[in-house]
Amino acid sequence: MKIIVLNGSPKGDVSITMQYVHFIQKKFPQHELKILNISQRIKTIERDDNAFREIIDAVRSATCVLWAFPLYYLLVPSNYKRFIELIWARGVEDAFKDKYAASLSTSIHFYDHIAHNYINAISDDLEMKFAGVFSAAMYDLLEEKERKRLSLFAEHLFDTIEYNVPTSRNFRPLIHSSFEYVPGDVQTKIGVGSQKVVVLTDSKDEGTNLGRMLRQFTGTFSGEVEVIDLNEVDIKGGCLGCIQCGYDNSCQYGDKDGYIEFFNTKVKSANILVLAGSTKDRYLSSQWKLFFDRSFFNTHIPVMADKQLGFIISGPLSQNPNLRQALEGFFEVQQAGIVDFVTDECGDSAEIDALLLSLAERLIRYANDGYAKPASFLGVGGKKVFRDFIYGRLRFPFLADHNFYKKNGLYDFPQKDYKSRITNSMMMLLSRIPSMRKKIYTERIKTELIKPLQKVLERE
Ligand SMILES: Cc1cc2nc3c(=O)[nH]c(=O)nc-3n(C[C@H](O)[C@H](O)[C@H](O)COP(=O)(O)O)c2cc1C
């Protein structure tokens, strides 16, 4: 059986993910797993038609495509995303149609489900038969139990292909609208005051709904609003995954391109950030993904903390909750305040005008008030994954994170909560006595739980 492995790691062969592929190769020598480096060679693949053709021909000759990638910012790396875009841009979807597909990733399990949903949806859009997901933690291969699990995954995959087992289509095709947004006159202007408002976009083209929504939105402000087209920022390439930034947040690219300066002077200094983009396949454009990936020089430090965030999106966002969660998850973990998403989906220009105005108003108001809604599980859970990861195995090489987390109280493990520890020990002892246990659990528990809150209410 011939499997084409599309390698998403910019590190090419020196990739953690590829060690998992090599493991499968070793365990199943009867099958051919041919690895093609996609992310590492994206520039050649984009430029050289033959290089692209060779990959597509290899896909045509295979029975299955294994999407194998590292998680990068809740998705696949930007270069890999670009390759996926090229499949449609160059009209070679038919090479993938009816083939089996599966996805394999390594990560720290931070939003790995988003990336796998994305690849599953892409496979469904390509009318492939998506046979399953294997999401490994970076060092799972060291554990006997996990090696066994990986072997079984591969065995089941090969059997699925051999016996032509049917697969579910998990993601329905997206329905795109042909609605054209026509902005109305701006009735009210919102004063920017002392807030620094920066709008990032991947297109200012007023021939598109996005461009017109941007014009309308920026027109609602009186005062300075800076609009930056990501295509005009000098970005030489995607994140290389070298982790040189782990020591002191200095990126290997340094001043070889303009990204670091752009990020430090424009993005970091904004109080209000608005992200604008059109959906492209099941995400935003790979240019947007590039923006996120290259911000990795900040490692796991929440550099977006306390910013107010707004999103202006053209395209069927409500049909794609995975994309919405990717954006919400990222910014919640960053401790930013997400104000709202405005899209053109309602298909009514006046309504979009009103939504854009309301977004502008709330961004300024929330920034002036210092208000951000509390994080949901997306932010709370994500922060704990980072905390444990930095505290644990990968404290080295992520020394900059460790120092930041220590200094800023992000190592908020419960073990230092001495008051709770003493109370817990006492209550655990008491609950061993049957009569006390009965009294606590049947009579006291509800009132005791609200006691500390009532004390606050009495004070207010
Ligand atoms: C730019 C960048 C972004 C990352 N984003 C995530 C992420 O969102 N979630 C996660 O679990 N791991 C993330 N990681 C960790 C990698 O997925 C992980 O180290 C992976 O094993 C690297 O695989 P590779 O050596 O095959 O490239 C990120 C790493 C880098 C360099």
Side-chain angles (χ1 to χ4, degrees):
M1 197 176 293
K2 186 172 170 188
I3 316 284
I4 286 297
V5 181
L6 298 176
N7 178 10
S9 176
K11 295 186 270 176
D13 302 325
V14 196
S15 138
I16 290 184
T17 317
M18 285 310 106
Q19 308 319 304
Y20 289 71
V21 175
H22 294 325
F23 177 83
I24 301 174
Q25 285 171 323
K26 266 197 122 161
K27 292 283 161 188
F28 299 89
Q30 68 276 32
H31 299 303
E32 186 192 354
L33 276 88
K34 190 172 159 58
I35 300 174
L36 301 177
N37 290 335
I38 300 297
S39 289
Q40 196 187 40
R41 296 182 61 237
I42 192 64
K43 290 236 159 94
T44 313
I45 295 167
E46 254 192 305
R47 199 179 347 104
D48 176 357
D49 215 31
N50 285 336
F52 181 74
R53 285 272 145 223
E54 270 172 30
I55 296 164
I56 300 305
D57 288 346
V59 168
R60 278 188 212 283
S61 69
T63 38
C64 174
V65 171
L66 182 61
W67 305 97
F69 54 88
L71 250 289
Y72 269 25
Y73 279 108
L74 305 77
L75 207 86
V76 300
S78 61
N79 292 356
Y80 208 54
K81 169 79 170 66
R82 179 67 193 135
F83 173 76
I84 289 168
E85 289 175 4
L86 289 177
I87 296 171
W88 275 277
R90 301 194 177 166
V92 294
E93 303 94 297
D94 64 302
F96 294 80
K97 190 169 186 271
D98 296 330
K99 302 233 178 272
Y100 276 99
S103 62
L104 164 69
S105 71
T106 63
S107 71
I108 60 165
H109 287 308
F110 178 82
Y111 285 93
D112 49 348
H113 65 292
I114 298 269
H116 287 284
N117 282 342
Y118 171 75
I119 287 294
N120 189 161
I122 289 293
S123 304
D124 286 350
D125 289 345
L126 288 168
E127 297 181 60
M128 303 179 85
K129 294 182 267 186
F130 192 77
V133 165
F134 196 91
S135 177
M138 288 170 73
Y139 288 103
D140 273 356
L141 206 57
L142 303 179
E143 312 287 332
E144 170 64 34
K145 190 171 150 224
E146 297 304 327
R147 291 195 291 274
K148 175 102 183 115
R149 202 200 294 268
L150 181 57
S151 271
L152 287 171
F153 165 74
E155 191 182 312
H156 296 162
L157 176 62
F158 296 135
D159 284 352
T160 299
I161 300 166
E162 187 170 342
Y163 298 109
N164 200 19
V165 176
T167 56
S168 302
R169 191 145 288 187
N170 295 317
F171 296 86
R172 294 291 114 206
L174 297 172
I175 299 160
H176 291 268
S177 151
S178 58
F179 160 73
E180 276 203 20
Y181 164 62
V182 182
D185 293 336
V186 175
Q187 309 289 350
T188 322
K189 290 262 185 187
I190 314 292
V192 165
S194 59
Q195 306 300 338
K196 185 170 178 216
V197 185
V198 173
V199 180
L200 304 177
T201 182
D202 59 351
S203 169
K204 289 183 191 165
D205 180 1
E206 292 195 7
T208 64
N209 280 359
L210 180 69
R212 290 189 292 273
M213 285 163 87
L214 263 184
R215 193 187 69 205
Q216 179 74 359
F217 177 72
T218 50
T220 61
F221 290 100
S222 63
E224 200 197 332
V225 173
E226 189 169 10
V227 182
I228 303 172
D229 184 343
L230 295 174
N231 296 290
E232 288 164 13
V233 180
D234 171 29
I235 311 177
K236 292 267 183 297
C239 174
L240 303 167
C242 65
I243 316 193
Q244 189 176 300
C245 50
Y247 184 70
D248 60 359
N249 299 117
S250 59
C251 177
Q252 202 187 111
Y253 281 97
D255 54 11
K256 288 191 205 101
D257 70 11
Y259 183 84
I260 309 288
E261 205 208 329
F262 150 74
F263 195 92
N264 287 336
T265 57
K266 303 292 183 186
V267 181
K268 267 193 193 163
S269 64
N271 308 95
I272 296 176
L273 259 188
V274 177
L275 275 56
S278 299
T279 58
K280 196 153 193 179
D281 57 60
R282 297 280 178 160
Y283 189 76
L284 300 171
S285 66
S286 55
Q287 190 67 23
W288 259 118
K289 191 64 187 33
L290 186 61
F291 165 81
F292 284 113
D293 286 8
R294 283 292 304 277
S295 74
F296 192 73
F297 77 93
N298 297 296
T299 53
H300 305 85
I301 295 171
V303 290
M304 304 282 191
D306 303 327
K307 294 189 194 309
Q308 299 293 341
L309 254 292
F311 297 89
I312 299 176
I313 292 179
S314 174
L317 182 68
S318 63
Q319 295 171 48
N320 190 359
N322 202 50
L323 167 57
R324 185 168 176 137
Q325 194 181 105
L327 297 169
E328 286 177 331
F330 174 77
F331 285 104
E332 280 203 13
V333 173
Q334 284 280 327
Q335 301 168 35
I338 298 171
V339 176
D340 210 349
F341 289 73
V342 175
T343 77
D344 53 0
E345 290 173 284
C346 65
D348 179 326
S349 295
E351 192 175 331
I352 296 170
D353 288 348
L355 290 169
L356 290 170
L357 175 65
S358 161
L359 176 65
E361 269 169 350
R362 281 177 293 153
L363 282 165
I364 298 292
R365 182 171 179 182
Y366 291 6
N368 288 340
D369 294 349
Y371 170 74
K373 69 173 188 240
S376 70
F377 173 76
L378 303 179
V380 176
K383 260 166 49 184
K384 286 185 197 296
V385 172
F386 275 1
R387 180 195 67 187
D388 292 1
F389 163 74
I390 302 300
Y391 189 80
R393 183 171 190 134
L394 286 175
R395 184 181 304 189
F396 180 84
F398 289 108
L399 285 177
D401 288 342
H402 175 62
N403 292 332
F404 183 90
Y405 277 43
K406 220 167 45 173
K407 200 165 151 207
N408 292 280
L410 292 176
Y411 286 140
D412 58 349
F413 298 99
Q415 67 262 33
K416 284 220 172 114
D417 184 353
Y418 293 113
K419 193 173 161 217
S420 295
R421 285 167 71 180
I422 293 167
T423 314
N424 284 341
S425 308
M426 268 167 41
M427 296 313 290
M428 281 154 82
L429 263 180
L430 284 176
S431 64
R432 286 202 190 147
I433 307 163
S435 60
M436 283 305 289
R437 184 165 65 239
K438 190 162 178 240
K439 196 172 168 58
I440 292 167
Y441 280 97
T442 57
E443 290 172 28
R444 300 287 299 277
I445 193 98
K446 283 197 277 187
T447 49
E448 289 300 323
L449 284 174
I450 62 166
K451 235 182 202 169
L453 304 172
Q454 282 177 326
K455 276 192 192 149
V456 175
L457 288 176
E458 278 161 22
R459 279 203 307 268
E460 284 296 307

